[in-house]
Amino acid sequence: MSMKSSSAVTGLFVLFALGAAQASDFPNAPIRLVVPYPPGGPVDFVARVVSVPLGQELGQPIVIENKAGAGGNIAANEMSRAKADGYALSLVYETHATTNLFYKNFKWDAFKSFDYISLLGYSPLVLTTSTQSGLDTLPKLITALKARPGALNQAITGPGAASVLKPELLHQAMGTKVTYVPFPGVAPALQALVGGQIDMALVSVTAALPLIQSKKVNAVAVGAAKSLAALPGVPTMNSTVPGFESTAWVGIVAPKGLSSEVFGRLQTAVHKVMMSDAVRKQLEASTFVVLATDQKGFTDRARADYRDAEHLVQKGILKPDE
């Protein structure tokens, strides 16, 4: 081997060894956890429950950054351009999976631009109505919706068709129509519901539970497979709309390209935290169902949502934004 070739090989070995040493050292600095919604919503709630024990497990503080706007797309765009070193993470809500179906001009891809570390769990959705509407049961609501198609308005948490997916799947199942009103997050949508500015909202039980318990909004049906202990007397959607369920997942992702060692370190830490008694009890108290999945399980769930949305687009029911 020539001296030049030997030097090149030595250089590559040094770079490889340095990269391995840096990965095995991970983490040695604080980690950013971007939340794509405002403080106070269900995704932010999960972040604040998980961040401290996750930081303790990793040995570095987790710094939460709320980057709200465009239905989570501002945060996703920033995250897609961040360095894939494990120091930039983001929680994502299920609308993340359908973004590219509805927005054509993004330079990032919901699946190709991110490493899917783990689902953290899901919250059953609850169909809520304003106490001023008088529509305090699902049959009453369906009757009113069918009597005046499009007359009632419903909050969606973000702009564009991606945020309409779960509500529209419900209306397709009920055979009803509604007018959608976008809000930048769940918290402001629920504030509008309390004030009577909107008639209804389909949101996570995690977010709506305090308002339901204080009787500031009506809970007319839950999207869980069976009734929830936290909402006694509130029927399931499938009791009126057979076979229909509605839940919303939250997961944790990183920019695409994590080394296998860093990915494994993060996933192991996330799984340990999510399965810990303290975190499980705190999240489950708000009806959040805790999960800890591998990358395939997370990706498969996201792709299933993509297919549901794609079906509605193909039928012309939902249309991509210009």
Side-chain angles (χ1 to χ4, degrees):
M1 180 182 293
S2 69
M3 182 69 71
K4 184 176 182 180
S5 298
S6 178
S7 297
V9 170
T10 301
L12 288 172
F13 178 80
V14 169
L15 287 173
F16 176 81
L18 179 60
Q22 289 172 339
S24 63
D25 231 13
F26 174 84
N28 55 24
I31 296 171
R32 297 169 57 216
L33 179 62
V34 174
V35 178
Y37 295 98
V43 181
D44 181 72
F45 171 72
V46 174
R48 294 181 190 281
V49 171
V50 170
S51 60
V52 172
L54 182 58
Q56 292 170 343
E57 180 63 27
L58 290 169
Q60 290 291 338
I62 306 292
V63 181
I64 294 176
E65 295 182 9
N66 293 89
K67 297 278 186 178
N73 293 324
I74 290 176
N77 181 57
E78 178 181 317
M79 188 58 47
S80 71
R81 295 182 285 107
K83 189 175 180 180
D85 56 6
Y87 292 97
L89 306 174
S90 180
L91 293 195
V92 291
Y93 192 63
E94 60 180 27
T95 51
H96 172 87
T98 57
T99 290
N100 294 114
L101 187 62
F102 297 118
Y103 302 96
K104 300 299 185 182
N105 297 321
F106 289 156
K107 296 181 180 179
W108 52 270
D109 184 278
F111 296 99
K112 296 177 182 178
S113 300
F114 301 92
D115 279 331
Y116 282 50
I117 296 170
S118 178
L119 272 175
L120 302 185
Y122 64 88
S123 177
L125 298 184
V126 58
L127 186 58
T128 57
T129 61
S130 166
T131 56
Q132 301 172 35
S133 69
L135 304 172
D136 55 1
T137 69
L138 186 55
K140 283 183 184 178
L141 180 59
I142 292 175
T143 298
L145 287 165
K146 289 186 174 180
R148 297 184 298 152
L152 298 182
N153 53 52
Q154 179 168 344
I156 53 172
T157 54
S163 299
V164 181
L165 176 60
K166 286 300 174 75
E168 187 57 31
L169 286 171
L170 175 59
H171 287 289
Q172 289 290 309
M174 297 191 302
T176 55
K177 292 184 179 180
V178 73
T179 296
Y180 295 112
V181 180
F183 288 84
V186 175
L190 286 172
Q191 289 173 5
L193 188 67
V194 170
Q197 285 84 43
I198 56 170
D199 299 306
M200 54 193 296
L202 181 66
V203 297
S204 72
V205 176
T206 303
L209 188 59
L211 295 176
I212 295 169
Q213 292 174 331
S214 61
K215 301 187 184 305
K216 292 182 178 179
V217 301
N218 300 318
V220 301
V222 294
K226 54 186 179 181
S227 298
L228 300 177
L231 293 175
V234 179
T236 62
M237 294 175 186
N238 61 28
S239 65
T240 300
V241 187
F244 188 84
E245 296 180 16
S246 191
T247 62
W249 53 258
V250 177
I252 187 165
V253 302
K256 190 73 173 180
L258 292 181
S259 70
S260 59
E261 187 169 354
V262 169
F263 183 95
R265 177 84 173 93
L266 288 168
Q267 189 178 74
T268 298
V270 168
H271 286 182
K272 186 172 181 179
V273 167
M274 296 310 295
M275 292 297 105
S276 68
D277 287 342
V279 168
R280 287 177 66 92
K281 287 178 181 178
Q282 191 170 355
L283 290 175
E284 288 173 353
S286 67
T287 72
F288 188 83
V289 178
V290 174
L291 297 174
T293 67
D294 61 13
Q295 187 172 30
K296 183 179 185 302
F298 187 2
T299 306
D300 286 350
R301 176 64 187 265
R303 289 195 180 279
D305 286 331
Y306 183 92
R307 288 191 294 272
D308 284 341
E310 188 177 40
H311 177 67
L312 294 181
V313 170
Q314 290 171 345
K315 291 175 67 176
I317 295 166
L318 296 182
K319 295 182 180 180
D321 296 334
E322 296 298 330

